[in-house]
Amino acid sequence: MSDKERILLVNKFYYPRGGDCIQMMAVERLLKQQGHEVAVFAMQYPANTDSEYSGYFPPQVDFSGSAADRIRAAARVLGYGGVRSRFRQMLRDFSPAVVHLHNIHSYLSPVVAEEAKRHGCRVVWTLHDYKLACPSYSCLSDGKPCEACFADKTSVMKKRCMKGSMAASIMAYIEAEIWNIKRLCRATDTFICPSRFMAEAMIRGGVPSGKIEVLNNFIDMAEIVTPASATDGDGRGDYYCYVGRLSAEKGVETLLKAATTLPYRLKIAGTGPLADYLKAAYASPNIEFLGQLGRPGIMELLASARFSVMPSEVYENNPLGVIESLCSGTPVIGADIGGIPELLDRDNGRLFKPFSVESLVQAIEEVSGIGKFDYGKIAGEARKRFSSDNYYKKITEIYNGK
């Protein structure tokens, strides 16, 4: 790709809110480092990072505010509320060759894909969740994995999958019908799936295999600096850790149930809707809740841990928590679900049966009894696999339609 060609990145938020935002912002930095002219389009939001393009951002919408707020938010879902006109102006003024979409549903709307295609741009879309196949994003029903909507989108209403609300589930169904896969495929040249599992799920959900490329997320090593203990077993702490959101689908309660039966120290980093409940229900001398840590704190925690745990009970895609841990040389015990098994083997961790406290206890005891892993080998292999160089080579091929 010529350095003169411009790339427009699109994501509903422009701050490190979650893995999707972190990855999009890392892509922005990488492309700029490689000499590309890059612009960003997002929704206006108080926490956004400063951007010279923020004047183009459509106004914030709120799905949990007043009745008027919710009406405006519903209009945004359908492609109204300023997003179309603002994006058209962005396309005219910046004139990108490639528009790279990330998370755009609801707060922006897939109308941006259609506008980019009409403008003559090549459109690629990195999928960070299962929204194209599952109207409620998560492939969960009553806390368990579910693919009913892959074949019948009315299931989201029958099961009230969207926040347990019929109104929200009806809106999710309408959104899925309006922005259906056939329509989105016409507007998108390539869908990027960060895991083979997601690619296979999207195919089951109706996305043509010829439209899909698998490309793992990458780690920005310039941002994430690990201490010397990343490869030194003797320099590691006497604890294992969990880094992530404290919510039901992440399986944190399963981890805490296991931890209370074991003599090992567990450190929990993160916050979420279950934070207060979990702190009260699982208070123990061996369990420490650290709250929300910045990225340097997270990397220090991971790099000094004996191992980390990813106990998810949802179809994880290509979780940064696992990748960050491995790049720190820290082995991972992960649930055998979604894209997690693609990242782990006997040399860098273990898998356990999701939802099973007994299986997780067994895995923790096994890993705790191993002694030292080859931390340097784990870090070296992961840093090579999830390097920005590998990502850049592949993403430029996708941008060029190769």
Side-chain angles (χ1 to χ4, degrees), residues 362-381:
Q362 183 178 353
I364 292 173
E365 288 184 324
E366 181 182 353
V367 170
S368 297
I370 286 175
K372 294 180 184 178
F373 278 84
D374 190 336
Y375 301 104
K377 181 181 179 182
I378 292 173
E381 291 181 349

Side-chain angles (χ1 to χ4, degrees), residues 21-41:
C21 304
I22 290 168
Q23 191 65 193
M24 186 276 286
M25 295 174 80
V27 172
E28 179 191 14
R29 289 191 296 273
L30 174 62
L31 293 173
K32 287 180 175 179
Q33 289 165 5
Q34 295 295 331
H36 298 286
E37 190 171 349
V38 184
V40 171
F41 185 82

Side-chain angles (χ1 to χ4, degrees), residues 237-242 255 258-260 262-268 286-287 301 305-309 333 364 368:
D238 62 343
Y239 66 88
Y240 64 110
C241 68
Y242 166 80
L255 170 59
T260 56
L262 295 166
Y264 317 114
R265 292 180 62 213
L266 169 63
K267 295 189 177 186
I268 302 280
N286 284 335
I287 299 173
L301 178 73
R306 292 289 170 177
F307 57 91
S308 68
V309 183
I333 295 176
I364 292 173
S368 297

Side-chain angles (χ1 to χ4, degrees), residues 140-262:
L140 280 177
S141 179
D142 294 326
K144 302 292 183 182
C146 172
E147 298 184 4
C149 282
F150 285 24
D152 179 10
K153 295 293 188 289
T154 63
S155 295
V156 69
M157 296 184 292
K158 295 172 184 175
K159 297 172 177 282
R160 300 192 181 195
C161 294
M162 199 68 176
K163 303 177 181 178
S165 163
M166 177 56 78
S169 298
I170 290 172
M171 191 66 221
Y173 170 74
I174 293 171
E175 182 182 18
E177 286 297 300
I178 291 174
W179 301 112
N180 59 74
I181 287 176
K182 287 184 179 180
R183 182 177 179 180
L184 296 180
C185 283
R186 288 195 298 268
T188 307
D189 294 290
T190 301
F191 294 100
I192 299 172
C193 293
S195 67
R196 291 192 307 273
F197 179 89
M198 170 170 268
E200 292 163 0
M202 289 299 103
I203 292 169
R204 292 197 300 275
V207 178
S209 59
K211 284 272 188 181
I212 294 174
E213 292 282 350
V214 176
L215 176 59
N216 288 160
N217 293 323
F218 72 97
I219 295 297
D220 184 348
M221 292 301 169
E223 176 193 19
I224 301 172
V225 180
T226 56
S229 60
T231 57
D232 179 2
D234 292 330
R236 288 179 175 261
D238 62 343
Y239 66 88
Y240 64 110
C241 68
Y242 166 80
V243 176
R245 184 169 167 79
L246 303 187
S247 54
E249 76 279 1
K250 293 299 184 180
V252 190
E253 188 160 20
T254 298
L255 170 59
L256 289 168
K257 287 178 180 177
T260 56
T261 71
L262 295 166

